Amino acid sequence: MTLLQMAWRNLLNRRVQTLITVIVILIGVSMALSIMMLSDGIKQGIVKASEPYGMIVGSKGSANQLVFNTIFLMDNPLANISLDYYRSLEADPRVNQAVPFALGDNYKGFRIVGTSAEFFTLKGKLADPPYFRLATGRIFDKAFEAVIGSKVAGETGLAVGDTFVSGHGVAVSNEQDEHKETPYTVVGILNGVSAPSDKGIYVTMDSYWVSHGQHGHDEDDETDHDQGEGVQASAAHKTSSQAKPGQAALSWTTNQLEAPQGVTAALIKPKSYMDLMKMYQEINQGARAQAVFPGQIIAKIFDMMGSGEQVLKYISYVVLGMSGLTIILALYGSTMERRRTVSILRAIGASRNSVLAIVLLECVLIVVLGCIGGIAGGYLLTLALSMYIGTQISITVIPMYNWELLSVVGVVGCIGIFAGILPAMSAYRMEVARYLNSQ
C-alpha cells in the first residue's frame, strides 16, 4: 500500500471531520472567487455597455443620472433639451455623428427609447462592425414601428409583426393602455450583446413625440401644451398611418412637431479629439446643456465599487484563515487520536519521514478537494448572482476567469500545506514506546 493510499484511507475513516474541513475550505474559496469574478464581471459589463457611446449631451443636472438613463436605461430621465439646440449640435461642422434619444415610456418595465436610424450604425471602434445588429426583421422606417432587444423578445414573447401598447413613465404601472390609440408594431429584433440595449425598445422620434403630444403634455419637461399642439400631433399621426410601406411619413423635422418637442439626450461624436474637447468646454460653459464623458462616470463607479469590494475580500480572507485553522485542528486532533496507530507503524518499520509524509498528504488531499469544490462552487455562485443582478438592474454581469483567480487557489494551497506542518511535526516527534505500551 502506498503512502497516498494510506492517507486517503485515513481520511475516509474520519469522514465527518474530513467533510467539515473540506466544506470550510470550499466556502472560503467560493467566496473569494465569486467576489473577484462578480467585480470583474460588473466592470466588464459596464465597459461593454458604453463601448459605442461618445460624448453625451443633456440638460443641466446630475451627470450620473444622464449617463445611467441614456446608456444603462436606469434612473429617471432629466428634462429635455430643446430641439433647436439639438439641431445646432447636429449641424455643427465639427460633428461627425449625432444621435438623439427620447425617454419616458415603458412596456412591461422595458424602456422605450425614441431615436433615429443612425443609432444602429454606432460602433465601438471605427474598424468594428456596427455594435447593434439585427437578429431578424428590419430597422424601423416610419412612426410606431419598434426594434426590440433580445431580452425584451425573450421575456415578453414579442416577435416580428406583433403589436403592443406602451405606458407612461419608466416603471411598470397598472395602466399600460395609456397609449392604446397608438400601438407599436415590432419590425425587428436585435442580436444579444450582453448590454443594457438587450432590454431596450427602440422607436422613431416621431413615435415618442406623437404619443406624448396626444396627452397634451411632455412628461419629461412636466410642462403643459395647449390644445392646438395636441391636435397637430394627432393629425401628424394620421398622416403616418396613410404613408406608403417603407416610407418615413413622419420626419422628426416636421414643422408641426418642432415647437413643443425636445430631446432627452444626444450622443455627439466630433470629427477629431480637438473638436471633442472644444465642444465639451463650450457646452458646459453655456447655460442650456451639459456634456458628459461616460468614461469619467464609469471611473467614479469603479472607485465606489472598490471600497465595497475590499470589504468583501477581507471577509473572504477571514474565511480562508478559518479554513487554515480548521485544517490545523482537524489534522492535529486526528493525529492525537491515532497516536497508538502511528506508534505501531513506527514499530513495524515505518520511518519518521513516512509518518510525516502521510500526515502532509492528508492535508494536501483535503486542500485539493476543497479547492476543486471551491472553484466549482464559486463559478456556480457567480452565475446565480449574475442572473439575479440582471433581473434587478440593466447592467449585464459577464463572469469570466482570469489568471488572478489562480493566485487565490495557490494561496489557499499554501495556507493548507502550512497548516498541516504542525500536526505532521507532532506525528514526526511522537515517542513510540510511550504510546505503544498504552492501552
Side-chain angles (χ1 to χ4, degrees), residues 272-289:
S272 66
Y273 179 77
M274 186 70 68
D275 293 334
L276 174 67
M277 297 311 297
K278 285 183 178 179
M279 292 191 69
Y280 177 80
Q281 293 177 354
E282 291 173 4
I283 293 170
N284 285 319
Q285 287 173 358
R288 303 179 68 182

Side-chain angles (χ1 to χ4, degrees), residues 62-267:
S62 169
N64 291 354
Q65 188 175 353
L66 179 60
V67 170
F68 271 83
N69 180 60
T70 306
I71 297 180
F72 302 107
L73 304 181
M74 299 167 60
D75 212 334
N76 294 315
L78 297 173
N80 285 351
I81 56 176
S82 68
L83 184 57
D84 287 339
Y85 184 74
Y86 170 75
R87 284 179 176 160
S88 69
L89 294 175
E90 185 184 34
D92 193 304
R94 296 170 295 181
V95 173
N96 184 52
Q97 189 177 30
V99 180
F101 296 97
L103 298 100
D105 289 346
N106 81 93
Y107 172 67
K108 293 186 177 181
F110 295 103
R111 301 289 181 95
I112 294 178
V113 183
T115 187
S116 66
E118 191 77 10
F119 172 80
F120 301 100
T121 66
L122 293 176
K123 299 179 180 180
K125 299 177 181 178
L126 289 176
D128 292 344
Y131 188 86
F132 305 104
R133 286 176 285 180
L134 290 170
T136 183
R138 60 176 175 81
I139 296 173
F140 53 66
D141 59 11
K142 59 183 179 180
F144 298 100
E145 291 184 340
V147 177
I148 64 177
S150 59
K151 287 189 177 179
V152 178
E155 294 185 26
T156 64
L158 288 174
V160 173
D162 291 345
T163 60
F164 64 92
V165 176
S166 65
H168 265 318
V170 295
V172 180
S173 68
N174 295 325
E175 298 180 1
Q176 286 288 312
D177 61 345
E178 294 171 330
H179 297 162
K180 60 184 178 181
E181 296 180 0
T182 55
Y184 290 96
T185 300
V186 178
V187 296
I189 300 175
L190 292 172
N191 268 323
V193 290
S194 297
S197 57
D198 293 343
K199 292 187 174 183
I201 299 174
Y202 301 93
V203 302
T204 65
M205 295 294 292
D206 291 332
S207 308
Y208 176 85
W209 285 336
V210 170
S211 62
H212 279 244
Q214 287 180 333
H215 286 268
H217 69 279
D218 188 326
E219 184 180 42
D220 298 325
D221 287 331
E222 295 183 356
T223 58
D224 293 333
H225 302 321
D226 58 33
Q227 184 177 1
E229 291 166 349
V231 172
Q232 289 174 349
S234 179
H237 173 56
K238 291 179 181 178
T239 304
S240 169
S241 63
Q242 296 170 359
K244 295 179 181 179
Q247 180 181 354
L250 270 179
S251 170
W252 61 289
T253 57
T254 304
N255 291 332
Q256 289 98 330
L257 294 176
E258 181 174 354
Q261 303 305 330
V263 175
T264 307
L267 169 63

Side-chain angles (χ1 to χ4, degrees), residues 330-365:
L331 293 181
Y332 186 80
S334 66
T335 301
M336 293 299 100
E337 291 176 1
R338 293 183 292 119
R339 287 175 294 190
R340 181 176 174 80
T341 303
V342 171
S343 299
I344 292 174
L345 287 174
R346 291 287 312 283
I348 61 177
S351 65
R352 290 178 180 268
N353 290 335
S354 297
V355 173
L356 178 69
I358 290 173
V359 177
L360 287 177
L361 284 172
E362 291 178 17
C363 176
V364 170
L365 288 172

Side-chain angles (χ1 to χ4, degrees), residues 342-344 346-347 352 429-437:
V342 171
S343 299
I344 292 174
R346 291 287 312 283
R352 290 178 180 268
R429 295 174 179 176
M430 188 173 296
E431 298 179 9
V432 176
R434 178 182 177 183
Y435 296 105
L436 190 60
N437 295 327

Side-chain angles (χ1 to χ4, degrees), residues 25 28-30 32-33 36 320 367-376 401-417:
I25 298 174
V29 174
S30 296
L33 293 183
M36 295 177 68
L320 291 177
V367 170
V368 168
L369 290 173
C371 287
I372 292 175
I375 292 172
Y401 279 115
N402 57 45
W403 291 106
E404 291 184 8
L405 301 180
L406 295 179
S407 65
V408 174
V409 179
V411 169
V412 173
C414 292
I415 292 174
I417 294 173

